[in-house]
Amino acid sequence: MNITDLKIKAAQIRIDLMTMITAAQAGHTGGSLSNTDILTALYYRVMKHNPTNSKDENRDRFIASKGHSVESLWCILADLGYFPKEELTTFSQFGTRLIGHPNNKVSGIEMNTGALGHGLAISVGMALAGKRGGKTYKVYCLMGDGEQTEGSIWEAAMAGAHYKLGNLIGIIDLNGLQISGKTSDVLSSEPLDEKWRAFGWHVIEIDGNDIEQLISTFDMIDHKSDKPTLILAKTTKGKGVSFAENQISWHHIVPTVEQLNLATIELRQQIEALRKEEN
């Protein structure tokens, strides 16, 4: 996919996740909208993975440490064929596999996550196993910015640097908001760039909603380095849906049918504008 195709895909995924959350009457809308561009870049362009062979030993690994924002991930995995797209209609319903956090009973999910602060430690273990086993795969771990107040994050950060895991890439969805307010007001963890550098990581700051910048950043990472990489991806919570953007309440608001219709119209307009721009 070229950059325009990826932007269109991200908008389509946003329509799918909004539709899924509305039908289920449950979900974390804002964070899923903010991380959609990151996941789109990873799954459709950057990562080595195969929906028909999800256990390939050489596959790249993705861990969603901020597991509550799983909706965009479910929609992407369904779109890629890891499971039937029709199954999205069962999201958060009784007996479903598609619960509100990643569930490794589903093809394409490496590990159950959602208890914040655990994903990076899991990723360190996977990356260390790959390095010691002579494997070429990379491990990508998506964290939240509110999650940076968990002590286990910093224990894992020390371990990743100690073992010189150049095959480990941490990404922080830095949208500045969490369930109870601004991250800077709830419990500030800034300056994150200086802290991660002090813990021995190579730190890159980018616009996490700019797919072109995401692609170029992932492509330039030196995986043979003796340092793991941390990407501070500055995003907008609720990205793509104007009335949800930068609104704390949209952390877990479920759209009404009217709001879903408005969001769908807005996202389809974005798609049409991208297609016209390309032509």
Side-chain angles (χ1 to χ4, degrees):
M1 285 188 177
N2 62 32
I3 298 300
T4 300
D5 290 337
L6 290 167
K7 290 178 179 179
I8 290 171
K9 179 61 69 177
Q12 291 170 335
I13 294 299
R14 286 185 168 100
I15 292 173
D16 289 345
L17 75 86
M18 291 286 286
T19 302
M20 184 178 71
I21 291 172
T22 305
Q25 287 295 286
H28 288 81
T29 309
S32 289
L33 289 169
S34 73
N35 73 29
T36 295
D37 297 308
I38 297 169
L39 296 186
T40 299
L42 284 172
Y43 274 92
Y44 293 93
R45 184 70 175 265
V46 175
M47 289 199 313
K48 180 174 59 178
H49 64 101
N50 184 356
T52 64
N53 184 14
S54 63
K55 297 300 182 182
D56 181 350
E57 287 188 7
N58 295 311
R59 71 190 182 280
D60 289 336
R61 274 72 165 165
F62 174 77
I63 297 294
S65 192
K66 52 171 294 184
H68 58 281
S69 295
V70 72
E71 291 83 359
S72 47
L73 180 58
W74 287 144
C75 291
I76 286 172
L77 292 179
D79 184 65
L80 288 167
Y82 279 93
F83 58 86
K85 198 166 185 178
E86 294 74 24
E87 195 171 346
L88 293 176
T89 61
T90 73
F91 173 65
S92 283
Q93 304 304 302
F94 180 75
T96 186
R97 298 189 303 163
L98 306 185
I99 56 177
H101 292 81
N103 169 22
N104 66 1
K105 292 181 180 179
V106 181
S107 177
I109 299 295
E110 302 287 347
M111 182 66 66
N112 297 346
T113 56
L116 293 177
H118 293 179
L120 187 63
I122 293 166
S123 301
V124 167
M126 289 180 170
L128 181 58
K131 180 176 180 178
R132 290 187 171 177
K135 302 294 184 181
T136 59
Y137 67 74
K138 290 88 176 175
V139 182
Y140 297 86
C141 179
L142 179 64
M143 299 170 278
D145 46 3
E147 187 178 5
Q148 301 306 296
T149 58
E150 299 280 356
S152 51
I153 289 287
W154 300 102
E155 293 178 64
M158 283 190 287
H162 175 77
Y163 289 110
K164 299 178 170 41
L165 300 179
N167 58 343
L168 175 62
I169 304 95
I171 308 155
I172 299 177
D173 183 8
L174 196 67
N175 59 41
L177 301 175
Q178 58 189 98
I179 189 171
S180 52
K182 295 180 179 179
T183 54
S184 58
D185 293 336
V186 176
L187 185 59
S188 178
S189 53
E190 294 293 347
L192 283 173
D193 56 341
E194 294 178 18
K195 287 178 180 177
W196 280 89
R197 288 190 180 99
F199 272 73
W201 289 56
H202 175 51
V203 178
I204 307 171
E205 299 180 64
I206 65 169
D207 180 346
N209 291 131
D210 184 329
I211 285 182
E212 189 168 10
Q213 196 173 146
L214 282 161
I215 296 294
S216 62
T217 299
F218 286 125
D219 285 349
M220 67 178 271
I221 294 172
D222 179 8
H223 300 290
K224 295 180 180 180
S225 168
D226 61 358
K227 283 187 176 185
T229 297
L230 188 282
I231 297 174
L232 286 173
K234 296 181 180 179
T235 62
T236 299
K237 196 150 192 167
K239 180 67 176 180
V241 179
S242 59
F243 54 84
E245 290 188 352
N246 278 322
Q247 299 300 312
I248 295 171
S249 59
W250 276 90
H251 181 87
H252 54 43
I253 277 185
V254 173
T256 63
V257 172
E258 182 181 8
Q259 288 171 325
L260 170 62
N261 291 336
L262 289 172
T264 300
I265 290 169
E266 186 173 347
L267 289 161
R268 284 177 177 165
Q269 288 174 341
Q270 293 172 24
I271 291 170
E272 287 304 310
L274 286 165
R275 286 175 174 157
K276 287 180 181 178
E277 184 180 310
E278 187 176 37
N279 294 329

